Amino acid sequence: MLISSTIEILPFIDNLNLFIGAQVLFHISSLNYLRTFTLAAKHLSFKTAATILNISPTAVSHQIKALEEQLRVTLFERQVRSITLTLAGQKLADACHVNLAEIDYVVKHLTQDKNEVSISCCHSFAALWLTPKSSQFNVNMPEYSLNIFASDSLVDIDKEKHLDIAIRYGSTEHDNNEDFLYTETISLYQSVQHPVVNSSLKKTNQQLFVTYWPENEMLNNIPWQQHFDASAYTVKTFPQEFFVLQAVMTGQGVGLLSDVLATSAVEHGWITKVDNTNSFKGYSYWLRISREHQESLRVKRATQWIKHEFSKLIPIEITK
């Protein structure tokens, strides 16, 4: 990324020792020369730096020469077909490698679209809860757009700088930096258009759909067999809950679903809880905010919206 030549370099290399025992304070009118130097130092090639910057090798040579004149040091030893860094050049290259990357990030952060809210969550939550509510998000915060990053792997929100909010799903154990949202209830659901004939008289070998994700060290599958008698059903598993919902909605059978993820389908009248069947607790949802973005108005408003939507959930009575 090239930065406008009207921007003066911050004193991140103030007092950099380019000479042993001597400290030099830099005041360089353009970051472009340092960017060019950094690329040439990385690849030890003016030609390669020129290709990356889409300028001529002669322009690279002129910029490096101008930088050397400003610093009053030689940065490269020039041979006929190669270049090598001098001691001063190596020291400047080391400083630029770290600090220019930081400047790039800060500038990108300061100039990024402030009208976006980025939320990380698991795939099922993204598909069945957050995406269906995106229109409500737009109504409540029309000046902001919602970006959803779905992943079933644990994402470090403090390292993934583009993320604002993470919705965690798991056991009651949680980080002190996370806010509790809701503990789900698992119940048996059926299609409204293709209901079970008599829920109290289960049909033998009726299809029962449940979610069973690949085992991992982070989160065990919910032990639904301890709470629900599946002896009268033919059990079929899916790795994601939205497959279970789809099977139920199309009348292929009944399914065990979280009240959180079933919310939209229930509100639309597509599925309903089967009467006279047991419900039991599942896992919990937690909210985590990026420490870097937590003071942002857009993040605060999005956080309030998420908490409000979860507060509207009415826990299903546990029958067993």
Side-chain angles (χ1 to χ4, degrees):
M1 180 184 69
L2 294 181
I3 302 176
S4 171
S5 59
T6 61
I7 299 177
E8 290 190 349
I9 185 171
L10 298 175
F12 71 89
I13 47 176
D14 285 357
N15 302 322
L16 174 67
N17 266 319
L18 288 184
F19 301 99
I20 298 176
Q23 291 188 330
V24 181
L25 176 64
F26 294 104
H27 182 73
I28 301 174
S29 61
S30 174
L31 284 174
N32 289 343
Y33 289 178
L34 282 175
R35 167 68 67 202
T36 301
F37 163 76
T38 301
L39 289 172
K42 177 181 178 181
H43 299 283
L44 291 178
S45 169
F46 288 177
K47 183 178 180 180
T48 301
T51 300
I52 295 173
L53 295 172
N54 197 28
I55 59 178
S56 68
T58 300
V60 170
S61 180
H62 287 329
Q63 289 187 26
I64 299 297
K65 187 66 175 177
L67 181 61
E68 290 177 323
E69 290 175 354
Q70 288 179 357
L71 299 178
R72 299 180 183 178
V73 296
T74 300
L75 299 173
F76 291 101
E77 294 290 351
R78 295 159 172 83
Q79 286 83 38
V80 176
R81 297 183 180 276
S82 65
I83 58 174
T84 57
L85 286 165
T86 63
L87 178 60
Q90 185 62 61
K91 289 183 178 181
L92 181 59
D94 292 342
C96 288
H97 177 72
V98 175
N99 292 286
L100 279 182
E102 180 66 18
I103 290 176
D104 276 350
Y105 166 71
V106 171
V107 171
K108 182 179 180 181
H109 175 68
L110 292 176
T111 59
Q112 71 179 355
D113 188 350
K114 295 298 192 300
N115 296 324
E116 294 183 352
V117 177
S118 299
I119 300 178
S120 170
C121 58
C122 64
H123 284 99
S124 288
F125 184 82
L128 301 181
W129 195 92
L130 192 52
T131 298
K133 288 183 176 292
S134 60
S135 60
Q136 297 178 32
F137 178 94
N138 294 332
V139 169
N140 283 271
M141 290 174 285
E143 67 273 35
Y144 302 120
S145 61
L146 177 63
N147 285 342
I148 302 173
F149 293 86
S151 174
D152 289 332
S153 300
L154 184 62
V155 176
D156 189 336
I157 191 173
D158 291 322
K159 290 184 178 179
E160 299 294 332
K161 303 296 185 180
H162 62 286
L163 296 176
D164 298 311
I165 298 169
I167 306 295
R168 307 291 198 202
Y169 175 70
S171 64
T172 54
E173 297 180 2
H174 66 99
D175 190 290
N176 291 331
N177 295 319
E178 296 173 352
D179 293 335
F180 172 76
L181 291 173
Y182 186 80
T183 298
E184 67 182 356
T185 302
I186 310 298
S187 301
L188 189 68
Y189 287 86
Q190 64 179 340
S191 167
V192 170
Q193 292 186 342
H194 308 282
V196 175
V197 176
N198 188 333
S199 59
S200 62
L201 298 175
K202 306 183 186 69
K203 294 185 294 184
T204 303
N205 295 326
Q206 182 177 345
Q207 289 269 42
L208 170 65
F209 298 99
V210 298
T211 306
Y212 188 85
W213 56 77
E215 291 289 354
N216 60 74
E217 297 179 356
M218 293 170 42
L219 190 65
N220 295 323
N221 277 277
I222 297 172
W224 61 270
Q225 300 91 334
Q226 299 177 13
H227 310 280
F228 188 84
D229 181 12
S231 60
Y233 300 93
T234 298
V235 178
K236 181 174 178 57
T237 63
F238 288 114
Q240 295 285 352
E241 198 150 352
F242 48 77
F243 295 126
V244 174
L245 176 61
Q246 186 68 25
V248 173
M249 287 173 55
T250 54
Q252 299 178 47
V254 294
L256 289 175
L257 290 164
S258 161
D259 61 330
V260 175
L261 302 186
T263 298
S264 181
V266 171
E267 291 175 348
H268 282 86
W270 298 331
I271 65 172
T272 185
K273 184 179 180 295
V274 178
D275 295 331
N276 303 318
T277 54
N278 295 329
S279 298
F280 53 93
K281 287 188 178 297
Y283 287 133
S284 298
Y285 288 87
W286 308 84
L287 182 144
R288 186 183 184 99
I289 304 172
S290 166
R291 287 179 292 184
E292 186 165 337
H293 304 157
Q294 60 186 353
E295 297 302 322
S296 168
L297 177 61
R298 61 191 170 85
V299 174
K300 288 182 177 180
R301 290 190 59 190
T303 299
Q304 292 172 353
W305 175 78
I306 292 170
K307 290 182 176 180
H308 176 70
E309 290 301 312
F310 267 96
S311 71
K312 295 192 295 186
L313 288 168
I314 300 175
I316 297 173
E317 182 181 353
I318 302 298
T319 53
K320 182 179 179 181

